[in-house]
Amino acid sequence: LHRAVLAAGVPVLPLRVAEVRQDGAGVSVPGTGLRSRWLVAADGLHSRVRRSLGLEAPTRGAPRYGLRRHYAVAPWSPYVEVHWGSDAEAYVTPIGPRLVGIAVLTTRRASFTAHLEGFPGLAARLPPDRAVTSVRGAGPLRQRARTRAHGRILFVGDAAGYVDALTGEGVALALVGAEALVANLRRGTPGRYEADWRRATRRHRLLTELLLRARLQPALAPRIMPTAARLPRVFSAAVNALA
């Protein structure tokens, strides 16, 4: 993506945006000399722009966190694996001929090593000395924005609001939102962006929310994977709907 941006001739400026100001004609970034007709804020899960404008909305439920690390281990499967634990899920993604990524999503605050120990079969495949990156984390994952369009400032990607990484569709959602945003700016209908964003992401938000609620219910969580195994067509339909 970075190479594509550079190839398209888009300038990339290594600046930190702490404040933005807008008027009827455009948006400016104090201290940088930058001004534009529109500002697209794609600054991530904990958007500084969203926070500075007071557009964060309260969330409910137990906060969830994500941790990830890469290991120099040959993938044992060409597929993404999901390992289901009592209070966490571990996602295994084949990245290269000798590299796998491990991501853990959980409500329990603990180290990556402690969480990995909860999946002994997976941990046995990942010797500690084969770790090639440090542990990176993010959270709480659920973020709500009061609006996607605030005057001439438009939010997209995780900055527009986020439910959970449970279904692994973050990049896809960002691209869907970006498509709706650009289409409305080209048509001169920025006021329609909020409704178009909601329409484009509704199915994913609903299905992810339902699955997450079930996951966080002690009586339902242990039944999810056995049910998926007994009803593969229903499970496949849900996965295809999210994709």
Side-chain angles (χ1 to χ4, degrees), residues 209-224:
E209 187 71 59
L210 291 174
L211 181 57
L212 181 60
R213 289 190 181 187
R215 175 63 172 121
L216 296 177
Q217 293 294 324
L220 293 178
R223 302 175 183 272
I224 294 176

Side-chain angles (χ1 to χ4, degrees), residues 2-45:
H2 183 67
R3 287 196 297 269
V5 167
L6 297 179
V10 178
V12 178
L13 307 177
L15 301 175
R16 181 180 292 274
V17 177
E19 179 187 5
V20 295
R21 298 175 183 171
Q22 64 175 317
D23 52 40
V27 185
S28 59
V29 182
T32 67
L34 296 175
R35 181 174 173 82
S36 61
R37 291 176 59 197
W38 304 94
L39 172 68
V40 176
D43 55 338
L45 194 66

Side-chain angles (χ1 to χ4, degrees), residues 148 184 190-202:
R148 260 52 53 181
N184 278 291
R192 287 179 48 185
Y193 171 55
E194 174 76 22
D196 286 352
W197 180 89
R198 288 183 176 277
R199 186 179 306 109
T201 62
R202 181 179 294 120

Side-chain angles (χ1 to χ4, degrees), residues 69-87:
R69 195 170 207 178
H70 294 90
Y71 288 81
V73 173
W76 52 89
S77 168
Y79 305 107
V80 173
E81 290 184 355
V82 182
H83 296 253
W84 203 263
S86 60
D87 57 14

Side-chain angles (χ1 to χ4, degrees), residues 67-71 102-104 110-117 126 135-136:
L67 301 166
R68 76 103 174 98
R69 195 170 207 178
H70 294 90
Y71 288 81
I102 309 297
V104 175
S111 69
F112 183 88
T113 300
H115 281 299
L116 194 59
E117 290 173 351
L126 303 169
V135 177
R136 298 291 298 274

Side-chain angles (χ1 to χ4, degrees), residues 11-216:
V12 178
L13 307 177
L15 301 175
R16 181 180 292 274
V17 177
E19 179 187 5
V20 295
R21 298 175 183 171
Q22 64 175 317
D23 52 40
V27 185
S28 59
V29 182
T32 67
L34 296 175
R35 181 174 173 82
S36 61
R37 291 176 59 197
W38 304 94
L39 172 68
V40 176
D43 55 338
L45 194 66
H46 299 286
S47 167
R48 293 171 64 93
V49 175
R50 186 182 67 215
R51 188 183 310 120
S52 70
L53 295 173
L55 298 178
E56 294 192 328
T59 61
R60 298 178 180 177
R64 297 243 299 170
Y65 300 87
L67 301 166
R68 76 103 174 98
R69 195 170 207 178
H70 294 90
Y71 288 81
V73 173
W76 52 89
S77 168
Y79 305 107
V80 173
E81 290 184 355
V82 182
H83 296 253
W84 203 263
S86 60
D87 57 14
E89 309 95 53
Y91 298 76
V92 184
T93 304
I95 298 173
R98 285 178 289 277
L99 188 66
V100 296
I102 309 297
V104 175
L105 300 180
T106 180
T107 56
R108 181 167 62 93
R109 301 294 294 270
S111 69
F112 183 88
T113 300
H115 281 299
L116 194 59
E117 290 173 351
F119 304 94
L122 179 58
R125 294 178 177 268
L126 303 169
D129 62 349
R130 304 306 294 272
V132 293
T133 63
S134 58
V135 177
R136 298 291 298 274
L141 296 176
R142 184 187 291 276
Q143 299 293 320
R144 293 182 59 214
R146 298 185 187 279
T147 181
R148 260 52 53 181
H150 182 71
R152 290 183 170 272
I153 301 172
L154 308 171
F155 294 86
V156 72
D158 295 353
Y162 196 75
V163 179
D164 196 86
L166 188 68
T167 52
E169 295 295 321
V171 173
L173 281 180
L175 294 176
V176 167
E179 184 177 34
L181 188 155
V182 171
N184 278 291
L185 287 185
R186 293 185 66 181
R187 288 195 303 260
T189 58
R192 287 179 48 185
Y193 171 55
E194 174 76 22
D196 286 352
W197 180 89
R198 288 183 176 277
R199 186 179 306 109
T201 62
R202 181 179 294 120
R203 176 184 294 178
H204 175 273
R205 289 185 289 112
L206 177 61
L207 290 175
T208 303
E209 187 71 59
L210 291 174
L211 181 57
L212 181 60
R213 289 190 181 187
R215 175 63 172 121
L216 296 177

